[in-house]
Amino acid sequence: MELNNGQYEIGGVSVLSLCKEYGTPLYVYDAAIIERQYNRLMNAFPNKNMKISYACKALTNISILKFIKNLGANLDTVSIQEVQLGLKAGFAPKDIMYTPNCVNIDEINKAVGFGVQINIDNISILEQFGHLYGNTYPVCVRINPHIMAGGNKKISTGHIDSKFGISIYQLRHLERVVASNNIRINGLHMHTGSDILDADVFLRGAEILFEAARSFKDLEFMDFGSGFKVKYSADDNTTNIEELGEKLGIRFEEFCKEYGRDLTIMFEPGKFLVSESGYLFVRTNVIKQTTSTVFAGVDSGQNHLIRPMMYDAYHHITNVSNPNGIQRIYSVVGYICETDTFGWDRKLNEVHEGDILVLHNAGAYGYSMSSNYNSRYRPAEVLVYKGLAKLIRRRENLEDLLATQLDVEF
Ligand SMILES: *Cc1c(COP(=O)(O)O)cnc(C)c1O
């Protein structure tokens, strides 16, 4: 978002005119940022066999999936429904990775029916899979290397208490199950959670995977998951992608030589690709002065963007209606009957009732985690690319709320 002649714009389109045309609350995505992030990650790695699978749980709108497919990406999915959305968006089954967690074997059978790459994260399901398919359907396994990503247990999946992955300490057991069922393991996977700051943490995980790879002779790829940290506030640190690309990329090529085959190196970023591209525009309904603070109450809440309340995530806020106003301190809160605070003590250009505020970095886990709580409608979504803005999801209405309900009287 840039300020041009006193007007905020996204990719050359005035944000206030978007809010006028489509109403608020409104999600707007800048496709140029998604493209920039994709290219940055691809260019950071020297490897010729490199694939990025977009972890679509971050933002699943089908127009976004198509845009990312056209960049050349694969798709990373965590449910059969995401698999189906991916197929609908035009991804080839072989380009879809399905990494479920704690699902029933029936859902995995469905995924086999669709022909997608399956990634299994526990020994019990792997055993059942082996009984059903033997070596006729290759499968990837998710290893938990128990490296700790970041300090936040809510978003880390690599710690010892995590429910994700097959523990590296179970490698012998895993080998036994694979051998006795004649299972063909074509990939090894790790995803240790969000917010890895340090390239060396990734490298430690990679070394553990390289070591484990000696037990599997049919590998075609290795998937190092995601965890690329994104800047939410101005003083946030981020993963040094270029340093990681250089170090891990070179180490991976050495490993391929030892292994004796050119494998594909894969990553599954969600946040990294789409977080910065997204903006949530909200309208100020009321300015409410209490004894302790000034609240700006807006026409949105935890039903549309739950990250501040769920993860204590910081989302930068800007008043786009009054770019030159004097700065004052506000607590920006939602209209849901919960304490749904978007931000305490934010310095904003003076806010008047009716002003449009924007929550930045709302592309990942924004709309995709939204709900109808308080029977509110979910917002519309707009995608901007090369000066053009297109509606990619209409706002909900009362019929949508009632669509699945049966009106029964006793
Ligand atoms: C959520 C998830 C990702 C993406 O994580 P981000 O932090 O959004 O990059 C990647 N892989 C798997 C298996 C996931 O569950």
Side-chain angles (χ1 to χ4, degrees), residues 169-197:
Y169 302 118
Q170 289 176 290
L171 187 61
R172 280 297 297 138
H173 189 189
L174 175 61
E175 285 170 16
R176 284 203 169 89
V177 168
V178 167
S180 60
N181 293 287
N182 197 17
I183 299 171
R184 185 150 62 92
I185 302 292
N186 68 342
L188 292 185
H189 170 275
M190 68 174 216
H191 170 67
T192 54
S194 285
D195 290 3
I196 298 184
L197 265 182

Side-chain angles (χ1 to χ4, degrees), residues 284-315:
T284 311
N285 284 333
V286 62
I287 300 292
K288 179 172 177 176
Q289 167 96 57
T290 68
T291 44
S292 65
T293 187
V294 181
F295 287 107
V298 301
D299 64 352
S300 182
Q302 67 176 58
N303 52 330
H304 299 150
L305 180 66
I306 203 171
R307 297 188 76 257
M309 305 86 192
M310 190 161 163
Y311 303 119
D312 292 325
Y314 177 91
H315 285 263

Side-chain angles (χ1 to χ4, degrees), residues 55 57 76 78 99 142 189 191 194 226-227 268-271 365:
K57 73 176 188 284
D76 188 66
V78 293
T99 301
R142 177 174 183 169
H189 170 275
H191 170 67
S194 285
S226 177
E268 313 165 335
K271 216 183 252 182
Y365 310 105

Side-chain angles (χ1 to χ4, degrees), residues 214-234:
R214 296 163 188 245
S215 307
F216 307 100
K217 298 289 160 239
D218 304 313
L219 296 184
E220 290 156 18
F221 65 91
M222 278 203 176
D223 186 329
F224 296 100
S226 177
F228 306 120
K229 195 165 156 59
V230 163
K231 216 184 204 28
Y232 281 86
S233 72

